[in-house]
Amino acid sequence: MMFGLALKNILHYKGRTVVTFALTFFSSLLFIVYVALMDGSHAHMLKSALDIYENALHIYKKGYREEGGYDYLLTDVSAEEALLARTEGIAAYAPRLESFALLSTPRDSVGAMVVGINPGGERRLSKMAEARREGRYLEDNDTNALYIGSELAVRLKVGVGDTVALIGTATDDSFAAENFRVVGIFKTGLFEFDASSAFVNKAYYDTLMLSGDMASYIVASVDDLTALPQTVNAVQAGLAEGLEAVPWTVLMHAQVEAMEVDSVFGYISMGVFFVVIFFVIMIFSFLNIVGRTRELGMLRAIGLSPRNVSALLLLEMLLIATAAVGLSVAVGAPIAWYFELHPMVIEGIAEAYRDYGIVDDQIPMRFDWFTIGWNAGVVFALNMLAVLYPIAVVKRYTPVEAMHHV
């Protein structure tokens, strides 16, 4: 009986029903889409940064990340590579030798980070080859070939085919100098990286820097990023004392924190929005329910208890909110799913936000049933809470007072 009476009231008060339904539907849909867009953008930003250079896991000698320099080089790279080869979950790996040197041309000189890499191995680990804008990528048999960042090339005023002199210090502290020819120019979109980085073939660089079987660190990718903690533990267990396996969450701690702070501000903005929505629905419900005081008094007079009246009003809101939130999920979930598979493209956004690690113009959403569920649940709960105060007000009237209410 109560369900039929609630349904009858919903259909009778069409204006109240339509406005409440619309407010609930659009606020829930907005919340679902906004959070999907925010989470998707953050995930894409981190993934871009990971794919470009950092990847999932690094192996260091303890102290390198804090101090750097040749005193903290890995000196038995073959042993660490053998460990990674037999560790389950490791997809690919390669050593890198990072050194800081002076790059000079007849026109200018710039201090830069010169990295010795395994060109073939790096193709499976990073997008450095895909970031090429001019010339070609490094090859495994290259000798004095230099693959240089676009902004660094501008600072040195060089192009593909030009010669750059490298002056640095070898691992035994002796003087190291060589002429390199620029074979390619890359652009990742990470401004500082493009302005200060250059790559050479590690096999040749080792002969110049006397760093055979040495590396600053080893970078590795994994088959399943969600299982990274277990993979890190497995690698760490096999490492020699004094070495450490560091996951990307630690390597990119500052960026992860920046994403979290941005998410917090996003939720605060949405929280303000929902406070407004809550009071709009509550005021609207208050006016509607108080306006029905005489009707509710009549129901009390024919036998409904105050609890029955409360249940009736709650049931009415329950039906409206369930329908509106359910429809918002039915509309919002496909939107999030579609734009996760087919990200929105805003031309020029990568250029505007390159310092934040955005390297392309795509803005994907993130489709996740759990997130959609709690987004919709919050809006549903706000709707139910919004009618509690109006119900408490009309329950104070006796049946006689209610029937004489003006």
Short mmCIF file of all heavy atoms in Angstrom, two decimals, residues 298-344:
data_model
loop_
_atom_site.label_atom_id
_atom_site.label_comp_id
_atom_site.label_asym_id
_atom_site.label_seq_id
_atom_site.Cartn_x
_atom_site.Cartn_y
_atom_site.Cartn_z
N MET A 298 -4.30 14.87 7.05
CA MET A 298 -5.44 14.03 6.71
C MET A 298 -5.06 12.54 6.78
O MET A 298 -5.81 11.71 7.29
CB MET A 298 -5.93 14.39 5.30
CG MET A 298 -7.19 13.66 4.87
SD MET A 298 -8.62 14.15 5.85
CE MET A 298 -8.87 15.82 5.22
N LEU A 299 -3.85 12.24 6.26
CA LEU A 299 -3.39 10.84 6.31
C LEU A 299 -3.21 10.38 7.75
O LEU A 299 -3.52 9.23 8.10
CB LEU A 299 -2.06 10.71 5.55
CG LEU A 299 -2.13 10.90 4.03
CD1 LEU A 299 -0.74 10.91 3.42
CD2 LEU A 299 -2.98 9.80 3.39
N ARG A 300 -2.72 11.30 8.59
CA ARG A 300 -2.58 10.96 10.02
C ARG A 300 -3.95 10.71 10.63
O ARG A 300 -4.13 9.79 11.46
CB ARG A 300 -1.90 12.11 10.77
CG ARG A 300 -0.44 12.36 10.38
CD ARG A 300 0.48 11.47 11.17
NE ARG A 300 0.30 11.64 12.59
CZ ARG A 300 0.84 12.62 13.34
NH1 ARG A 300 1.61 13.52 12.72
NH2 ARG A 300 0.64 12.69 14.63
N ALA A 301 -4.96 11.51 10.22
CA ALA A 301 -6.30 11.39 10.80
C ALA A 301 -6.97 10.07 10.43
O ALA A 301 -7.81 9.55 11.20
CB ALA A 301 -7.16 12.57 10.33
N ILE A 302 -6.64 9.53 9.27
CA ILE A 302 -7.29 8.27 8.86
C ILE A 302 -6.48 7.04 9.26
O ILE A 302 -6.76 5.93 8.83
CB ILE A 302 -7.53 8.26 7.33
CG1 ILE A 302 -6.20 8.31 6.58
CG2 ILE A 302 -8.46 9.38 6.93
CD1 ILE A 302 -6.36 8.19 5.06
N GLY A 303 -5.44 7.26 10.07
CA GLY A 303 -4.79 6.10 10.65
C GLY A 303 -3.31 5.93 10.45
O GLY A 303 -2.69 5.06 11.07
N LEU A 304 -2.69 6.75 9.59
CA LEU A 304 -1.23 6.60 9.41
C LEU A 304 -0.49 7.21 10.60
O LEU A 304 -0.85 8.28 11.08
CB LEU A 304 -0.78 7.31 8.12
CG LEU A 304 -0.65 6.43 6.87
CD1 LEU A 304 -2.04 5.91 6.47
CD2 LEU A 304 0.00 7.19 5.74
N SER A 305 0.47 6.49 11.08
CA SER A 305 1.29 6.98 12.20
C SER A 305 2.35 7.95 11.68
O SER A 305 2.63 8.00 10.47
CB SER A 305 1.98 5.79 12.89
OG SER A 305 2.91 5.21 11.99
N PRO A 306 2.98 8.74 12.59
CA PRO A 306 4.08 9.61 12.15
C PRO A 306 5.18 8.82 11.44
O PRO A 306 5.79 9.29 10.48
CB PRO A 306 4.58 10.22 13.46
CG PRO A 306 3.39 10.21 14.35
CD PRO A 306 2.64 8.95 14.02
N ARG A 307 5.42 7.58 11.93
CA ARG A 307 6.46 6.76 11.27
C ARG A 307 6.04 6.40 9.85
O ARG A 307 6.87 6.39 8.93
CB ARG A 307 6.68 5.49 12.10
CG ARG A 307 7.69 4.54 11.46
CD ARG A 307 8.01 3.38 12.35
NE ARG A 307 8.67 3.80 13.57
CZ ARG A 307 9.13 2.97 14.51
NH1 ARG A 307 8.97 1.66 14.35
NH2 ARG A 307 9.71 3.43 15.60
N ASN A 308 4.71 6.12 9.66
CA ASN A 308 4.23 5.81 8.31
C ASN A 308 4.39 7.00 7.37
O ASN A 308 4.76 6.85 6.20
CB ASN A 308 2.75 5.40 8.35
CG ASN A 308 2.53 4.09 9.05
OD1 ASN A 308 1.55 3.91 9.78
ND2 ASN A 308 3.45 3.15 8.87
N VAL A 309 4.10 8.22 7.90
CA VAL A 309 4.24 9.42 7.08
C VAL A 309 5.71 9.62 6.69
O VAL A 309 6.02 9.94 5.54
CB VAL A 309 3.71 10.65 7.84
CG1 VAL A 309 4.05 11.94 7.08
CG2 VAL A 309 2.19 10.53 8.03
N SER A 310 6.61 9.43 7.66
CA SER A 310 8.04 9.57 7.36
C SER A 310 8.47 8.55 6.31
O SER A 310 9.20 8.87 5.36
CB SER A 310 8.87 9.36 8.63
OG SER A 310 8.55 10.32 9.60
N ALA A 311 7.98 7.32 6.48
CA ALA A 311 8.34 6.27 5.52
C ALA A 311 7.81 6.60 4.13
O ALA A 311 8.49 6.36 3.12
CB ALA A 311 7.78 4.93 5.99
N LEU A 312 6.60 7.18 4.08
CA LEU A 312 6.01 7.54 2.78
C LEU A 312 6.86 8.60 2.07
O LEU A 312 7.17 8.47 0.88
CB LEU A 312 4.58 8.06 2.99
CG LEU A 312 3.89 8.59 1.72
CD1 LEU A 312 3.68 7.47 0.72
CD2 LEU A 312 2.56 9.25 2.09
N LEU A 313 7.24 9.64 2.81
CA LEU A 313 8.04 10.72 2.20
C LEU A 313 9.43 10.23 1.80
O LEU A 313 9.96 10.60 0.74
CB LEU A 313 8.16 11.89 3.17
CG LEU A 313 6.83 12.59 3.50
CD1 LEU A 313 7.02 13.62 4.61
CD2 LEU A 313 6.25 13.26 2.26
N LEU A 314 10.02 9.39 2.65
CA LEU A 314 11.33 8.83 2.29
C LEU A 314 11.23 7.92 1.07
O LEU A 314 12.12 7.91 0.21
CB LEU A 314 11.90 8.05 3.49
CG LEU A 314 12.50 8.89 4.62
CD1 LEU A 314 12.83 8.00 5.82
CD2 LEU A 314 13.76 9.62 4.15
N LEU A 315 10.14 7.16 1.01
CA LEU A 315 9.96 6.26 -0.13
C LEU A 315 9.81 7.04 -1.44
O LEU A 315 10.32 6.63 -2.48
CB LEU A 315 8.74 5.37 0.11
CG LEU A 315 8.49 4.27 -0.94
CD1 LEU A 315 9.71 3.36 -1.10
CD2 LEU A 315 7.26 3.45 -0.56
N GLU A 316 9.09 8.17 -1.36
CA GLU A 316 8.95 9.00 -2.56
C GLU A 316 10.32 9.47 -3.06
O GLU A 316 10.64 9.39 -4.25
CB GLU A 316 8.06 10.20 -2.26
CG GLU A 316 6.61 9.84 -2.04
CD GLU A 316 5.76 11.05 -1.64
OE1 GLU A 316 6.26 12.19 -1.79
OE2 GLU A 316 4.63 10.86 -1.17
N MET A 317 11.14 9.99 -2.13
CA MET A 317 12.47 10.45 -2.53
C MET A 317 13.34 9.29 -2.97
O MET A 317 14.14 9.41 -3.92
CB MET A 317 13.14 11.19 -1.35
CG MET A 317 14.55 11.68 -1.68
SD MET A 317 14.65 12.72 -3.15
CE MET A 317 14.10 14.28 -2.46
N LEU A 318 13.18 8.13 -2.31
CA LEU A 318 13.96 6.94 -2.69
C LEU A 318 13.68 6.56 -4.14
O LEU A 318 14.62 6.27 -4.91
CB LEU A 318 13.61 5.78 -1.75
CG LEU A 318 14.31 4.45 -2.05
CD1 LEU A 318 15.81 4.56 -1.78
CD2 LEU A 318 13.70 3.33 -1.23
N LEU A 319 12.41 6.57 -4.53
CA LEU A 319 12.07 6.18 -5.90
C LEU A 319 12.61 7.19 -6.91
O LEU A 319 13.15 6.80 -7.95
CB LEU A 319 10.55 6.06 -6.03
CG LEU A 319 9.92 4.92 -5.23
CD1 LEU A 319 8.39 4.99 -5.30
CD2 LEU A 319 10.41 3.57 -5.74
N ILE A 320 12.46 8.49 -6.60
CA ILE A 320 12.94 9.52 -7.54
C ILE A 320 14.47 9.46 -7.65
O ILE A 320 15.03 9.47 -8.75
CB ILE A 320 12.49 10.92 -7.07
CG1 ILE A 320 10.97 11.03 -7.11
CG2 ILE A 320 13.12 12.00 -7.95
CD1 ILE A 320 10.43 12.32 -6.49
N ALA A 321 15.14 9.39 -6.48
CA ALA A 321 16.62 9.39 -6.50
C ALA A 321 17.16 8.14 -7.17
O ALA A 321 18.15 8.20 -7.92
CB ALA A 321 17.15 9.50 -5.07
N THR A 322 16.53 7.00 -6.92
CA THR A 322 17.00 5.75 -7.54
C THR A 322 16.89 5.83 -9.06
O THR A 322 17.83 5.45 -9.78
CB THR A 322 16.18 4.56 -7.02
OG1 THR A 322 16.32 4.46 -5.60
CG2 THR A 322 16.64 3.27 -7.65
N ALA A 323 15.76 6.33 -9.54
CA ALA A 323 15.59 6.44 -11.00
C ALA A 323 16.59 7.42 -11.60
O ALA A 323 17.21 7.14 -12.64
CB ALA A 323 14.16 6.89 -11.31
N ALA A 324 16.78 8.59 -10.94
CA ALA A 324 17.68 9.61 -11.49
C ALA A 324 19.14 9.15 -11.45
O ALA A 324 19.87 9.29 -12.44
CB ALA A 324 17.51 10.91 -10.71
N VAL A 325 19.56 8.60 -10.31
CA VAL A 325 20.94 8.14 -10.19
C VAL A 325 21.19 6.95 -11.12
O VAL A 325 22.25 6.84 -11.76
CB VAL A 325 21.26 7.78 -8.72
CG1 VAL A 325 22.61 7.07 -8.63
CG2 VAL A 325 21.28 9.03 -7.86
N GLY A 326 20.21 6.05 -11.19
CA GLY A 326 20.36 4.90 -12.09
C GLY A 326 20.53 5.34 -13.54
O GLY A 326 21.38 4.82 -14.27
N LEU A 327 19.73 6.34 -13.96
CA LEU A 327 19.85 6.84 -15.32
C LEU A 327 21.20 7.54 -15.54
O LEU A 327 21.81 7.41 -16.60
CB LEU A 327 18.70 7.81 -15.63
CG LEU A 327 18.67 8.37 -17.06
CD1 LEU A 327 18.52 7.24 -18.08
CD2 LEU A 327 17.55 9.39 -17.22
N SER A 328 21.67 8.26 -14.51
CA SER A 328 22.98 8.95 -14.66
C SER A 328 24.10 7.94 -14.83
O SER A 328 25.05 8.18 -15.59
CB SER A 328 23.23 9.85 -13.45
OG SER A 328 23.51 9.08 -12.29
N VAL A 329 24.01 6.81 -14.12
CA VAL A 329 25.02 5.76 -14.28
C VAL A 329 24.93 5.15 -15.68
O VAL A 329 25.94 4.90 -16.34
CB VAL A 329 24.85 4.66 -13.20
CG1 VAL A 329 25.76 3.47 -13.50
CG2 VAL A 329 25.16 5.23 -11.83
N ALA A 330 23.67 4.93 -16.13
CA ALA A 330 23.47 4.35 -17.47
C ALA A 330 24.01 5.26 -18.56
O ALA A 330 24.45 4.78 -19.61
CB ALA A 330 21.98 4.08 -17.69
N VAL A 331 23.99 6.57 -18.34
CA VAL A 331 24.51 7.52 -19.33
C VAL A 331 26.00 7.79 -19.10
O VAL A 331 26.80 7.81 -20.05
CB VAL A 331 23.72 8.85 -19.27
CG1 VAL A 331 24.34 9.88 -20.22
CG2 VAL A 331 22.26 8.62 -19.64
N GLY A 332 26.39 7.99 -17.84
CA GLY A 332 27.77 8.38 -17.53
C GLY A 332 28.79 7.27 -17.77
O GLY A 332 29.90 7.54 -18.24
N ALA A 333 28.43 6.03 -17.44
CA ALA A 333 29.38 4.92 -17.61
C ALA A 333 29.79 4.73 -19.07
O ALA A 333 30.99 4.62 -19.36
CB ALA A 333 28.78 3.63 -17.04
N PRO A 334 28.84 4.71 -20.04
CA PRO A 334 29.27 4.60 -21.45
C PRO A 334 30.12 5.78 -21.91
O PRO A 334 31.03 5.61 -22.72
CB PRO A 334 27.94 4.55 -22.21
CG PRO A 334 26.95 4.05 -21.23
CD PRO A 334 27.38 4.61 -19.92
N ILE A 335 29.83 6.99 -21.37
CA ILE A 335 30.65 8.15 -21.74
C ILE A 335 32.09 7.95 -21.28
O ILE A 335 33.05 8.15 -22.04
CB ILE A 335 30.07 9.44 -21.13
CG1 ILE A 335 28.73 9.79 -21.80
CG2 ILE A 335 31.05 10.60 -21.28
CD1 ILE A 335 28.03 10.99 -21.18
N ALA A 336 32.25 7.53 -19.99
CA ALA A 336 33.59 7.29 -19.47
C ALA A 336 34.28 6.16 -20.23
O ALA A 336 35.49 6.25 -20.54
CB ALA A 336 33.52 6.95 -17.98
N TRP A 337 33.55 5.13 -20.53
CA TRP A 337 34.12 3.99 -21.25
C TRP A 337 34.56 4.39 -22.66
O TRP A 337 35.65 4.05 -23.12
CB TRP A 337 33.10 2.85 -21.33
CG TRP A 337 33.55 1.67 -22.13
CD1 TRP A 337 34.45 0.72 -21.78
CD2 TRP A 337 33.12 1.35 -23.46
NE1 TRP A 337 34.62 -0.19 -22.80
CE2 TRP A 337 33.80 0.17 -23.84
CE3 TRP A 337 32.22 1.93 -24.34
CZ2 TRP A 337 33.62 -0.43 -25.08
CZ3 TRP A 337 32.03 1.33 -25.58
CH2 TRP A 337 32.73 0.16 -25.94
N TYR A 338 33.71 5.14 -23.36
CA TYR A 338 34.01 5.54 -24.74
C TYR A 338 35.25 6.44 -24.79
O TYR A 338 36.14 6.23 -25.62
CB TYR A 338 32.82 6.28 -25.34
CG TYR A 338 33.07 6.75 -26.76
CD1 TYR A 338 32.94 5.88 -27.84
CD2 TYR A 338 33.47 8.07 -27.01
CE1 TYR A 338 33.21 6.31 -29.14
CE2 TYR A 338 33.75 8.51 -28.30
CZ TYR A 338 33.61 7.62 -29.36
OH TYR A 338 33.89 8.04 -30.64
N PHE A 339 35.29 7.43 -23.88
CA PHE A 339 36.42 8.36 -23.93
C PHE A 339 37.68 7.79 -23.29
O PHE A 339 38.74 8.40 -23.39
CB PHE A 339 36.03 9.69 -23.29
CG PHE A 339 35.16 10.53 -24.18
CD1 PHE A 339 33.82 10.71 -23.87
CD2 PHE A 339 35.66 11.11 -25.33
CE1 PHE A 339 33.00 11.46 -24.70
CE2 PHE A 339 34.85 11.86 -26.16
CZ PHE A 339 33.52 12.03 -25.85
N GLU A 340 37.58 6.66 -22.62
CA GLU A 340 38.80 5.94 -22.24
C GLU A 340 39.41 5.27 -23.47
O GLU A 340 40.63 5.27 -23.65
CB GLU A 340 38.50 4.89 -21.17
CG GLU A 340 39.75 4.15 -20.69
CD GLU A 340 39.43 3.06 -19.68
OE1 GLU A 340 38.73 2.10 -20.05
OE2 GLU A 340 39.88 3.17 -18.54
N LEU A 341 38.55 4.70 -24.32
CA LEU A 341 39.03 4.04 -25.53
C LEU A 341 39.36 5.05 -26.63
O LEU A 341 40.26 4.82 -27.43
CB LEU A 341 37.97 3.06 -26.04
CG LEU A 341 37.60 1.91 -25.10
CD1 LEU A 341 36.50 1.05 -25.72
CD2 LEU A 341 38.82 1.06 -24.78
N HIS A 342 38.61 6.15 -26.66
CA HIS A 342 38.82 7.17 -27.70
C HIS A 342 38.99 8.53 -27.00
O HIS A 342 38.03 9.31 -26.92
CB HIS A 342 37.63 7.21 -28.65
CG HIS A 342 37.26 5.87 -29.20
ND1 HIS A 342 37.97 5.27 -30.21
CD2 HIS A 342 36.27 5.00 -28.86
CE1 HIS A 342 37.43 4.09 -30.48
NE2 HIS A 342 36.41 3.90 -29.67
N PRO A 343 40.18 8.82 -26.49
CA PRO A 343 40.40 10.06 -25.73
C PRO A 343 40.06 11.31 -26.54
O PRO A 343 40.24 11.35 -27.76
CB PRO A 343 41.89 10.02 -25.40
CG PRO A 343 42.27 8.58 -25.50
CD PRO A 343 41.41 8.00 -26.58
N MET A 344 39.58 12.33 -25.83
CA MET A 344 39.35 13.62 -26.46
C MET A 344 40.70 14.23 -26.87
O MET A 344 41.69 14.02 -26.18
CB MET A 344 38.64 14.57 -25.50
CG MET A 344 37.20 14.18 -25.20
SD MET A 344 36.43 15.33 -24.05
CE MET A 344 37.23 14.86 -22.53
#
